[in-house]
């Protein structure tokens, strides 16, 4: 694929115009740091296709799409926080809170759109609290979001009395379990969110500010970046996407589950790291996070098809995280030496 056509340039000493050298657009040029995760995903798909005749069946791919979509959405939100050199440990609990608030409203006869908005509003509020404490109170993101993890989960258990909230309207269940053009609705939502966040990061001032803060927050502030407002916004978006995941999770099961989202924050962080994000900030992309989420989900799906003990899969995912962090550090050292 050619990136540019022949461009005529005038030589410094006069004479005939010279033809500028054509440049080949590579896979890495298009996807940047996301390319590594996407390549691993393609290799994994190829290996599982050869290993299991059931992997590429329509039913299994639809099941894989439903498995990955919810925590993939959370991973994209987590990425925004990680790019600012932060972390959000509360997204799993916020997912459970949003889903159960939505379920409680539905169980009390609230119209579906209003119930969904109620669940999302609670999730955004949690994100705003996280962002405000990090940006304005100067508290460490790890501590702030760890506290919110406990608060949100405790509120869920109090709200539901630790009981499943059901029954819920069938029309609400159709949101997550339906299909459009033969593709699960969950996958459509996941794809739209991943593309939207990718465009936000690559094509907008907001995205440039996010990377600037992750690179050096003080330098960004001196350059005129509204660091505090950006941090609040990033955590609010992460909360919102966790809320979207909570609504979809509740819709998929057609019930409010008090323990929903337990451990999802770790899966989201793993997806970001495996997809090329650096925990030190300013490095990573939405497609990489989405690819990382797909890698984790595909490993679990393939393991089930091949009857591999799930405990071994946890070991493999842990090793992938260590390898990804090692290569990120190694690449940083090489860049520093050559720079």
């Amino acid at each position: 694929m050619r990136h540019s056509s022949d461009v005529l340039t005038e030589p410094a000493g006069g004479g005939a115009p010279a033809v500028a050298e054509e440049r080949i657009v590579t896979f890495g040029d298009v996807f940047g740091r996301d390319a590594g995760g996407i390549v691993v995903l393609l290799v994994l798909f190829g290996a599982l296709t050869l290993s299991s005749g059931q992997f590429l069946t329509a039913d299994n791919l639809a099941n894989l799409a439903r498995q990955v979509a919810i925590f993939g959405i959370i991973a994209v939100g987590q990425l925004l926080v990680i790019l600012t050199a932060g972390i959000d440990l509360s997204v799993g609990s916020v997912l459970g809170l949003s889903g159960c608030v939505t379920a409680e409203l539905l169980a009390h006869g609230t119209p579906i759109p209003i119930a969904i908005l109620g669940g999302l509003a609670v999730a955004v509020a949690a994100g705003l609290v996280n962002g405000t404490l990090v940006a304005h109170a100067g508290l460490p993101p790890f501590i702030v979001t760890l506290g919110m993890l406990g608060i949100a989960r405790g509120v869920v258990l109090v709200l539901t009395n630790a009981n499943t909230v059901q029954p819920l309207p069938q029309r609400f269940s159709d949101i997550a379990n339906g299909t459009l053009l033969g593709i699960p609705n969950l996958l459509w939502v996941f794809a739209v969110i991943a593309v939207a966040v990718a465009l936000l990061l690559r094509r907008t001032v907001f995205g440039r500010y996010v990377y600037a803060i992750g690179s050096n927050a003080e330098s960004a502030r001196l350059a005129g970046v509204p660091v505090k407002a950006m941090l609040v916004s990033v955590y609010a978006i992460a909360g919102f996407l966790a809320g979207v995941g909570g609504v979809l999770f509740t819709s998929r099961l057609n019930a409010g589950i008090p323990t929903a989202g337990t451990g999802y924050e770790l899966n989201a962080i793993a997806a970001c790291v495996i997809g090329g994000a650096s925990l030190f900030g300013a490095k990573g992309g939405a497609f990489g996070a989405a690819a990382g989420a797909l890698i984790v989900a595909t490993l679990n799906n393939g393991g089930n098809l091949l009857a591999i003990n799930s405990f071994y899969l946890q070991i493999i995912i842990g090793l992938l995280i260590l390898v990804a962090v090692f290569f990120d550090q190694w690449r940083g050292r090489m860049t520093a030496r050559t720079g």
Side-chain angles (χ1 to χ4, degrees), residues 103-199:
E104 285 284 357
L105 291 172
L106 289 171
H108 288 83
T110 305
I112 292 176
I114 297 177
I116 292 175
L117 289 175
L120 295 178
V122 170
V124 172
L128 287 172
V129 171
N130 286 338
T132 300
L133 291 176
V134 170
H136 294 282
L139 299 180
F142 183 92
I143 299 300
V144 169
T145 58
L146 180 62
M148 182 58 72
L149 179 154
I151 292 170
R153 186 63 66 188
V155 171
V156 171
L157 295 174
V158 170
L159 179 66
T160 63
N161 198 27
N163 293 320
T164 300
V165 183
Q166 60 182 4
L168 303 180
Q170 181 60 41
R171 288 188 300 114
F172 177 69
S173 176
D174 293 340
I175 295 174
N177 295 308
T179 61
L180 177 63
L181 302 178
I183 299 174
N185 290 344
L186 283 175
L187 186 58
W188 282 112
V189 176
F190 177 34
V192 167
I193 288 175
V195 170
V197 173
L199 292 175

Side-chain angles (χ1 to χ4, degrees), residues 53-64:
Q54 297 181 354
F55 179 71
L56 281 184
T57 61
D59 288 343
N60 184 64
L61 290 179
N63 183 49
L64 175 61

Side-chain angles (χ1 to χ4, degrees), residues 20 27 32 70 86 88 96 102 105 127-128 146 222 238 272 288 292 323:
F27 189 75
I70 294 173
D88 191 345
T102 303
L105 291 172
L128 287 172
L146 180 62
L222 294 174
C272 292
V323 170

Side-chain angles (χ1 to χ4, degrees), residues 246-265:
V247 171
L248 293 176
F249 188 97
T250 302
S251 173
R252 184 184 177 194
L253 299 181
N254 206 28
I257 310 297
T259 57
T262 301
Y264 273 37
E265 59 279 345

